[in-house]
Amino acid sequence: MSDVSGNVIETEGLTRVFTGRPERGSRLRRTRHVAVDHLDLTVVAGESVGYIGANGAGKSTTIKMLVGILVPTSGSVRTVGLHPLKERRALARRVGVVFGQRSQLWWDLPVRESFSILAAIHGLSAADERARTAELVEMLEMGAYLGTPVRQLSLGQRMRAEVAAALLHRPELLVLDEPTIGLDVLSKQRLREFLVAQRREHGTTLLLTTHDMGDVERLCERVLVVDHGRLAFDGMLAGLARTVGARRELVLDLATPGPDLTDVPGTEHVRSESDGLRQRLAFDPQRTTAARVLAAVAERAEVVDLSIVEPDIEDVVREIYRATR
């Protein structure tokens, strides 16, 4: 098994430019869009890395070059020590990929049969296939729908099956492109818990792109922020929070209308709604917790419901540029 000083991903000057043809009869030149711009990137074996940015920042284009789907315009890339294009077949045996908007499962076949086909493609023995499938089915609670055609699954069920399919052959690197998009809170939580367990038990390296800061905070230790194809931030999650001062909002529904909660320790009152029945308090998770804020509010008013609003990825990227200029 190849190894490059423990690096699972290495890129140097990685660039991808898309060109478009002008309309027929037009004298305009071809359009030119730089999706990834001289990207230098290293991910060490066992890391869990969040690769974030606004729409169009170059995240998915980067991933497609890492796994050999797209050809770089210039620069170099190595994934698990292999050249993604020249050694794509060998790479497929060592990497698992989940695209949240695309499926690797067979739409009209039961989940179980999709797993059997993928196991054969990856060269798993019958015994390995049975053991690994049983392990994944138990951990992801898929037993009730193993015999169900993929097209009949809910989005949450399908995404669990997609992740299981990507991990069936025990890859060294798992790449997840927007895996929780559209999922409800419970489905997100199940998927996050499973991924944490997989990393703990198998040492799988994780590269995650997402628009959900909750995914980043619960799954990633290191964060890469990309904008217009260039790396804007590379550091630990705590460092990102310090750089942008990312705050959460605690949305509180009270039993009766009340005055603005402007003096709750560690918070800033954002606004009140419905004559004070609903109030929004912002807080820095590096300095306090939602539980402490709730306890302080409960001493003053009866809380009947609450929710936490995570910072938006686009806001985080904006704050990074504001802080580093």
Side-chain angles (χ1 to χ4, degrees):
M1 187 173 289
S2 181
D3 177 70
V4 185
S5 302
N7 293 333
V8 171
I9 296 172
E10 282 188 316
T11 75
E12 185 174 347
L14 186 64
T15 301
R16 173 68 197 204
V17 179
F18 292 100
T19 57
R21 295 180 179 178
E23 293 182 7
R24 183 174 294 180
S26 171
R27 295 182 180 180
L28 297 174
R29 294 180 179 179
R30 289 173 178 263
T31 59
R32 186 174 183 273
H33 171 64
V34 181
V36 176
D37 191 1
H38 293 86
L39 184 69
D40 295 333
L41 177 63
T42 301
V43 175
V44 178
E47 279 194 299
S48 180
V49 179
Y51 190 47
I52 68 175
N55 282 329
K59 304 184 300 296
S60 294
T61 301
T62 303
I63 285 177
K64 288 173 183 176
M65 289 190 286
L66 291 177
V67 298
I69 296 174
L70 278 179
V71 181
T73 303
S74 62
S76 64
V77 55
R78 289 289 184 274
T79 307
V80 294
L82 302 174
H83 189 291
L85 288 170
K86 296 177 182 177
E87 302 172 283
R88 190 171 177 183
R89 182 171 294 182
L91 182 65
R93 294 183 181 275
R94 298 174 59 186
V95 174
V97 185
V98 176
F99 289 103
Q101 307 283 13
R102 297 181 183 178
S103 180
Q104 62 189 311
L105 304 171
W106 280 261
W107 203 242
D108 293 314
L109 294 182
V111 175
R112 181 186 293 108
E113 292 189 28
S114 282
F115 286 175
S116 294
I117 294 171
L118 289 167
I121 290 172
H122 288 297
L124 270 65
S125 68
D128 282 346
E129 176 197 340
R130 286 193 299 270
R132 184 59 170 158
T133 299
E135 177 188 5
L136 292 168
V137 167
E138 180 181 0
M139 293 186 71
L140 283 166
E141 301 176 7
M142 296 187 297
Y145 55 88
L146 264 185
T148 303
V150 172
R151 57 183 165 78
Q152 295 179 11
L153 301 180
S154 69
L155 180 58
Q157 290 171 334
R158 184 175 70 79
M159 287 312 303
R160 277 185 273 168
E162 294 282 358
V163 171
L167 286 168
L168 194 63
H169 57 298
R170 294 186 178 87
E172 298 161 56
L173 169 66
L174 177 63
V175 181
L176 301 172
D177 190 18
E178 300 285 1
T180 64
I181 190 168
L183 297 188
D184 59 53
V185 174
L186 183 57
S187 296
K188 284 184 181 183
Q189 182 63 22
R190 283 175 175 165
L191 192 54
R192 289 166 178 166
E193 289 174 351
F194 168 75
L195 292 170
V196 169
Q198 281 294 294
R199 286 195 63 233
R200 182 176 60 246
E201 294 172 17
H202 299 286
T204 309
T205 304
L206 176 66
L207 180 66
L208 167 73
T209 80
T210 181
H211 273 77
D212 191 326
M213 278 302 292
D215 287 346
V216 176
E217 291 184 339
R218 289 162 181 77
L219 294 174
C220 303
E221 298 144 358
R222 179 178 164 211
V223 181
L224 306 171
V225 180
V226 65
D227 187 69
H228 294 93
R230 292 196 170 199
L231 204 58
F233 177 89
D234 179 356
M236 304 307 287
L237 181 59
L240 174 67
R242 285 193 298 269
T243 299
V244 303
R247 300 189 305 171
R248 291 192 180 110
E249 268 190 27
L250 187 62
V251 183
L252 300 155
D253 290 335
L254 307 181
T256 58
D260 292 350
L261 298 169
T262 57
D263 57 347
V264 178
T267 72
E268 177 186 336
H269 183 265
V270 178
R271 68 176 181 272
S272 293
E273 302 166 12
S274 303
D275 296 325
L277 271 175
R278 170 171 288 181
Q279 304 210 21
R280 295 175 179 265
L281 303 178
F283 67 97
D284 182 348
Q286 300 297 312
R287 299 182 178 182
T288 189
T289 65
R292 288 177 190 158
V293 175
L294 177 60
V297 172
E299 293 178 355
R300 309 161 193 228
E302 182 182 351
V303 179
V304 296
D305 199 6
L306 63 88
S307 60
I308 297 177
V309 179
E310 303 284 356
D312 187 82
I313 289 285
E314 281 77 5
D315 291 338
V316 169
V317 173
R318 236 183 336 264
E319 288 299 324
I320 285 173
Y321 276 97
R322 189 176 299 164
T324 54
R325 278 174 184 164

